Structures are given as structure tokens and as C-alpha cells.
Amino acid sequence: MKLICNVDVYNRLSSLAINIRQRKPQKSCLIIGKQSKENDEVYLILQTKSNKIGVKYKINNNIKKIFTKFVDEGKASFRIIEPSHDINIQCDPIQLKSFLHVLKLILLKKFTSPLSTLSDYNKKSINIVPKTKIIISKVLDYPTLKGFPKITEQLYLCGLQRKSFDCQILKLHNLKILNLSQNQLTNLPQELGMLPNLQELSLSDNQFGKCPISKWSWMNGSNITKTLRSLNLSCNKLTKIPDEISKLHALLSLNINNNLISSLPEGIGNLKKLKYLNISKNNITNLPGSMTNLRLYELDISENSFQINNDNTISVCDIKISCLVDLAAQVVIKTRIYYDASIIPFTLIQYLDKAHYCMCGVPCFNSFMRKFMPMNLSTITNSIRFSGISGNNILFDCYFCSFKCLRRYFLCV
């Protein structure tokens, strides 16, 4: 049995310290194995990058005590009788508990499974870099009881037809990539938004079209709004993209192709870092005017139902003096102040999330003008993929916060 961990070895006879003494924990590999096929004596081998041959410790009648008080934190210590060493270990708690379980069975002489011999471990094949990428593509391989190592950075749970989210994932604070595609998920827990390092999230080929509005609150998480760079919601039979998506300020890539969406949330133009947008194979008829503030590298709008309308009339004109609530809401959105239901009433959250966005970028609430305007897509993207559209002209649903903005954009078009 092998355990990848950080190890600090302390020589209790410090005045007679030998070369194994370490100043700080080193990435190491602990191995339990027999001396040989002929000799059943069991040893513990400690290997490091600088010492691949390793230091060998006899196990039976040579371990005075095992300290496990902090095992839930991934810490344990072995007190070796000869030589007088304390081996301090720190690693993933789940793997550590399994390792300690085997060791205790050996000490009690109750371990019945065959152990590999020390000669079976080729020192050139020893890899003391912990496994941070987990790929599970078969239901039988899913670690239902064992769980995932806390050091996991990439987790792929694809094609398992899972109907519920595994809350063990919420403990993976090092997680950067999470792929849950080809399952039957309908929602995600709010706590997902609190993962501190999540950068890529793939939810394609699930059933999020059945997700109620209240179950998209994970997008409000104080961490995910700052870290998530790639989101894939393709093939989910979505009829609407939640307004909360405008809070994912670090988003670089958004894929929502092959759904049933008829319009995009107006706040999508608030994603200033967005560079790749795929909205192909939907029922979209126009784009929100706030998208004119984006500068994309690639835009795919093929296989949609875009309309061209050259009518210059203003469909809505409701300009009035802004109230204090509107002015305060504008400040919150423009300065990107974080808010959720624990800070402000839920009705105010809905008020903020339903903001319209002027072509100048200012959020509008009760005072605005609305007009549908055909505009050329080349002004917002370098590369366009489209079908059935003439001259790249798409109808934009535009809002204006004042007559000044309206006149300025009329002159630009």
C-alpha cells in the first residue's frame, strides 16, 4: 500500500541527528510492503524526491504509538522505537484513514490481504506528486463511501446519469475544473458558489431547463462571481437564461447553444471580460443592446430566428426623475458591490437583477426609452458565425437612460 503525503521526520536523539532529519515537511511516499516472498517481515518505506531508495522501518514490535488526534485534518504521527524517529504525516484525510487502518490491522496481525514485496516497487516509477485530476465515467467506479481527495483540482463526472448533485464536491476547496456533463441534473446547491477556486464549470447535456428560478442562486456566490471563467450550459432545454448570470464578472467563455432560448438577459453586456459566446441553435430573435459594450473574439449566433426591423419608432418612452432607490441601485451595480439575501431583502435583489442597461452602460429601472435598432455585429466581435442573416445586421433591443444617449446613438447608426 502506498500513501502520497507531506512528511516531517524528527529524530528524538537530536544530539545524534542523522541525515534523515528534515527542517520542513517534504513531499514523500510512504509504502507498506513485505521484505520478500520468502520473508513475511513487514516494513514501512519512506521515499522522497532526493532519496528514492528510501529509509526502511520495521513495523512489527517497532511502532510504539500512533497519534491520530488530528486525523480528520489529515494529520497523524508514528513513534518509531528503532531508530528513534517520529514520522509526522499530513495529507488527504480519507487516504490517511485508509492507510492507518491497514497499518493497525498489520500491528494486530489481522491483515489477511496479500502485500506486495518491496522489490515490486520500482524506484523509477515512484511518483510523489499527488493525484489532483479525477475522471469517473462508470457508475461502478463512483466513490460513494470513500469520497474524493480534498486535493482534487479537476473533477470529471460525465455520463453517469446522476439525478442529484453530490455534496461531497462542496468540500473540494482546491477544485478548479468541474465537469458534470451528460447527467440528469436539474439544479445545483447554493453552496457551490462559495467554492474559492472554481474556474471552469460544464453542465452540458443535463436537465436544467426544469430548474426553478430560485435554484440559480449559486451564481450569486461571493467566490464564484470572481473566479468562474468558463460556463457551459448547452443542451439543457433551457427556455431562459437566469438574470444572475450577469454577476459572473470573471467569465471569459459562455456556451448556451442547443437550447430553447428566445432572448438573452439584458445584464449579459455587464460581462466585460467575456470573449467567447456561443448562442447557436436557439430561438433568439434579437440581442440585448447592452451587448454593444462587449468586445468578443468569437460569436456564434447560427441557427436562430433573428428578425430585421427598420422601423425607427420608439416602442417605450418613460423618462422621469429617478427616485432614491434607483440612484442607490445604480451605484450598487456600477461599483459591483456584492449582495445577497443575507444582506438585503429578497425584493431588492429582484429589483437589482431586473435592471435594464442603457447603451452607455448605465443601469435603468423606472426611467428609460426603448427602441429596436438593427446594428452590425462587427462592432462587437472579431469573428462571427451565422446563418441566414444578410450583412451581419441583427436587431438589438436597446434601452436609453436619457434623450442625450438616444440622440448620440442615432447619430452613430
Side-chain angles (χ1 to χ4, degrees):
M1 186 174 185
K2 185 167 64 175
L3 177 69
I4 305 300
C5 53
N6 290 322
V7 174
D8 168 31
V9 179
Y10 174 68
N11 187 349
R12 298 194 299 277
L13 303 177
S14 56
S15 60
L16 302 174
I18 57 175
N19 59 1
I20 194 172
R21 178 122 184 225
Q22 301 173 4
R23 293 183 179 178
K24 61 180 181 179
Q26 288 188 3
K27 193 71 73 176
S28 308
C29 178
L30 283 174
I31 299 171
I32 297 177
K34 295 193 303 181
Q35 174 68 25
S36 64
K37 292 182 179 179
E38 295 77 21
N39 188 345
D40 289 336
E41 190 67 60
V42 182
Y43 286 85
L44 179 69
I45 304 294
L46 171 62
Q47 296 176 321
T48 63
K49 286 184 178 180
S50 58
N51 184 5
K52 290 187 177 181
I53 296 177
V55 179
K56 185 166 63 174
Y57 299 95
K58 184 181 175 181
I59 290 181
N60 290 323
N61 301 320
N62 196 41
I63 295 182
K64 184 176 182 180
K65 191 171 183 180
I66 300 176
F67 299 91
T68 59
K69 182 177 181 180
F70 301 103
V71 69
D72 289 332
E73 299 177 16
K75 298 177 182 179
S77 296
F78 304 148
R79 175 151 290 178
I80 308 296
I81 298 174
E82 182 61 37
S84 300
H85 291 166
D86 287 346
I87 303 176
N88 305 312
I89 302 171
Q90 184 172 3
C91 66
D92 178 75
I94 296 175
Q95 295 181 7
L96 178 58
K97 289 178 181 179
S98 298
F99 189 85
L100 292 175
H101 179 68
V102 171
L103 183 60
K104 288 180 179 179
L105 288 177
I106 292 173
L107 292 173
L108 295 172
K109 298 182 179 181
K110 295 182 179 181
F111 190 75
T112 56
S113 300
L115 282 171
S116 300
T117 62
L118 299 181
S119 59
D120 292 336
Y121 292 99
N122 187 339
K123 65 180 181 180
K124 293 183 179 179
S125 66
I126 295 298
N127 179 13
I128 62 175
V129 177
K131 187 177 182 181
T132 60
K133 182 177 181 179
I134 306 295
I135 300 176
I136 299 180
S137 55
K138 297 180 181 178
V139 176
L140 294 177
D141 295 336
Y142 199 91
T144 304
L145 299 177
K146 183 179 178 181
F148 306 104
K150 286 192 175 182
I151 58 174
T152 302
E153 295 182 2
Q154 301 181 41
L155 183 59
Y156 296 81
L157 307 176
C158 308
L160 303 176
Q161 301 304 307
R162 291 186 62 86
K163 295 183 179 181
S164 61
F165 181 87
D166 188 349
C167 289
Q168 293 183 84
I169 297 173
L170 302 176
K171 301 178 182 179
L172 306 179
H173 290 175
N174 294 321
L175 193 64
K176 295 180 180 179
I177 299 175
L178 178 59
N179 192 326
L180 300 173
S181 59
Q182 298 176 6
N183 284 287
Q184 298 182 32
L185 300 175
T186 57
N187 59 76
L188 297 176
Q190 182 177 353
E191 293 79 6
L192 182 69
M194 302 306 294
L195 287 178
N197 295 297
L198 189 60
Q199 297 178 9
E200 297 182 23
L201 179 61
S202 179
L203 304 172
S204 63
D205 290 291
N206 276 280
Q207 299 182 21
F208 285 94
K210 300 178 181 180
C211 183
I213 295 176
S214 59
K215 293 296 183 179
W216 291 99
S217 57
W218 58 269
M219 289 187 177
N220 295 329
S222 58
N223 289 327
I224 203 169
T225 57
K226 302 173 185 177
T227 62
L228 193 66
R229 297 187 177 186
S230 177
L231 177 61
N232 189 341
L233 288 168
S234 61
C235 305
N236 270 286
K237 297 182 179 179
L238 292 168
T239 57
K240 186 180 184 298
I241 298 298
D243 295 317
E244 288 86 347
I245 202 169
S246 63
K247 298 177 183 178
L248 303 177
H249 301 304
L251 209 60
L252 296 174
S253 175
L254 176 60
N255 186 347
I256 52 176
N257 81 303
N258 204 353
N259 281 292
L260 305 172
I261 302 164
S262 58
S263 63
L264 298 179
E266 293 180 39
I268 198 169
N270 225 16
L271 304 177
K272 299 299 177 62
K273 293 185 178 181
L274 193 64
K275 297 302 177 184
Y276 303 92
L277 178 60
N278 187 342
I279 58 174
S280 62
K281 298 181 181 179
N282 279 287
N283 301 322
I284 298 174
T285 58
N286 57 72
L287 298 177
S290 63
M291 281 185 62
T292 57
N293 295 312
L294 299 179
R295 294 298 177 264
L296 303 172
Y297 293 153
E298 293 182 10
L299 174 63
D300 190 344
I301 61 171
S302 57
E303 298 186 50
N304 275 286
S305 306
F306 287 105
Q307 300 175 359
I308 298 297
N309 184 356
N310 293 317
D311 186 0
N312 287 325
T313 60
I314 297 175
S315 58
V316 175
C317 181
D318 192 9
I319 297 293
K320 50 186 152 184
I321 297 175
S322 298
C323 64
L324 290 177
V325 174
D326 288 357
L327 294 175
Q330 287 179 354
V331 173
V332 170
I333 292 177
K334 286 194 292 185
T335 55
R336 294 185 175 181
I337 297 174
Y338 175 75
Y339 60 88
D340 61 21
S342 66
I343 301 173
I344 60 176
F346 183 71
T347 53
L348 288 180
I349 292 177
Q350 290 181 312
Y351 192 81
L352 289 163
D353 291 345
K354 293 294 183 181
H356 307 294
Y357 288 86
C358 175
M359 299 290 282
C360 69
V362 172
C364 311
F365 296 92
N366 295 314
S367 177
F368 59 83
M369 285 175 287
R370 183 181 184 185
K371 176 178 170 54
F372 290 89
M373 301 171 57
M375 301 180 70
N376 197 299
L377 290 174
S378 60
T379 60
I380 66 172
T381 182
N382 294 333
S383 175
I384 313 169
R385 182 175 296 179
F386 56 88
S387 58
I389 304 170
S390 176
N392 296 351
N393 285 325
I394 296 294
L395 201 64
F396 280 75
D397 185 5
C398 303
Y399 285 81
F400 301 93
C401 63
S402 65
F403 287 105
K404 181 179 178 180
C405 280
L406 180 65
R407 288 192 296 268
R408 183 173 66 184
Y409 280 90
F410 260 122
L411 293 175
C412 294
V413 177

